[in-house]
Amino acid sequence: MNDGSKKSRRRRSSSLLYQEPQESMEHLSDQAAIPNLNANWVNAKGAWVIHIILIIALKILFSIIPGIQSHTSWTLTNIIYMFGSYLMFHWVRGIPFEFNAGAYDNLNMWEQMDNGDQFTPTKKFLLTVPICLFLASTHYTHYDLTYFIINVLALAGVVIPKLPMSHRLRVSFFSGHPDDRYPDER
């Protein structure tokens, strides 16, 4: 039935998980040529402090809204921080600059930081902050089961992508298969 006038449908894996392949030599040389300004700021002075300031600001914001109880404000602070952290470090791929010939286009910010090395001081800090926020949220919600489940799900959503087993691992349910994202590169 395919007469050449229609493009044939490409077969695709039904797997939800896939491993992002390693970069080619061209991408590796592009990455080494110019510093990655997108990920190097996390090692700068004040970069760690901004996380604490954001958490305090979120807590104050939710505490001053009338009708929101303390345990709800802690849970909202936890959820919003975790969502922002996931979005910033694990969802967005590539960099917003065009000076590196697309060398980081298939990496998220977590994978770009510290040249992909695991357990650097910055990555340890960024792994510790959500855990401490979870512990504080759980304590100030008085260990209520409903709030605990909400908080632990938010924590899992942020901590699991930071673990070494998740390095370059993609969930196509959320982000789409790479062949679907770049149809012109076949």
Side-chain angles (χ1 to χ4, degrees):
M1 191 93 201
N2 190 0
D3 60 356
S5 61
K6 292 182 180 180
K7 288 186 177 178
S8 63
R9 185 170 232 190
R10 189 174 37 89
R11 211 166 165 185
R12 188 186 126 171
S13 171
S14 61
S15 176
L16 291 177
L17 294 175
Y18 65 94
Q19 193 75 25
E20 190 72 39
Q22 291 293 325
E23 282 90 12
S24 64
M25 289 304 290
E26 292 91 18
H27 279 121
L28 290 174
S29 63
D30 287 343
Q31 289 175 2
I34 301 172
N36 185 358
L37 300 176
N38 186 49
N40 287 349
W41 66 269
V42 295
N43 296 318
K45 281 186 178 181
W48 291 15
V49 176
I50 194 67
H51 293 274
I52 308 304
I53 292 171
L54 283 172
I55 291 169
I56 292 169
L58 284 169
K59 177 61 178 123
I60 290 171
L61 173 72
F62 291 127
S63 293
I64 62 173
I65 296 175
I68 295 184
Q69 298 173 347
S70 175
H71 53 275
T72 305
S73 72
W74 274 105
T75 300
L76 286 173
T77 300
N78 187 32
I79 290 171
I80 297 297
Y81 177 80
M82 302 289 185
F83 176 76
S85 176
Y86 180 81
L87 185 69
M88 181 174 184
F89 292 114
H90 305 290
W91 180 267
V92 178
R93 289 194 191 89
I95 62 172
F97 314 110
E98 284 296 326
F99 59 79
N100 69 349
Y104 297 99
D105 284 350
N106 62 342
L107 299 176
N108 60 35
M109 189 164 171
W110 186 261
E111 294 162 347
Q112 293 175 33
M113 287 174 18
D114 301 323
N115 296 322
D117 295 336
Q118 296 293 325
F119 303 117
T120 61
T122 301
K123 286 188 174 182
K124 286 178 185 177
F125 173 79
L126 292 172
L127 183 62
T128 304
V129 169
I131 294 170
C132 290
L133 180 58
F134 164 75
L135 292 173
S137 298
T138 302
H139 175 74
Y140 288 112
T141 58
H142 306 292
Y143 305 98
D144 182 80
L145 182 62
T146 304
Y147 290 111
F148 176 79
I149 290 171
I150 293 168
N151 287 324
V152 81
L153 288 175
L155 177 69
V158 171
V159 169
I160 291 173
K162 288 177 170 49
L163 298 177
M165 69 174 198
S166 299
H167 187 70
R168 295 179 168 269
L169 185 68
R170 304 288 187 257
V171 180
S172 62
F173 179 73
F174 295 120
S175 60
H177 199 272
D179 293 340
D180 294 339
R181 286 184 281 148
Y182 306 112
D184 298 333
E185 293 183 3
R186 284 185 226 133

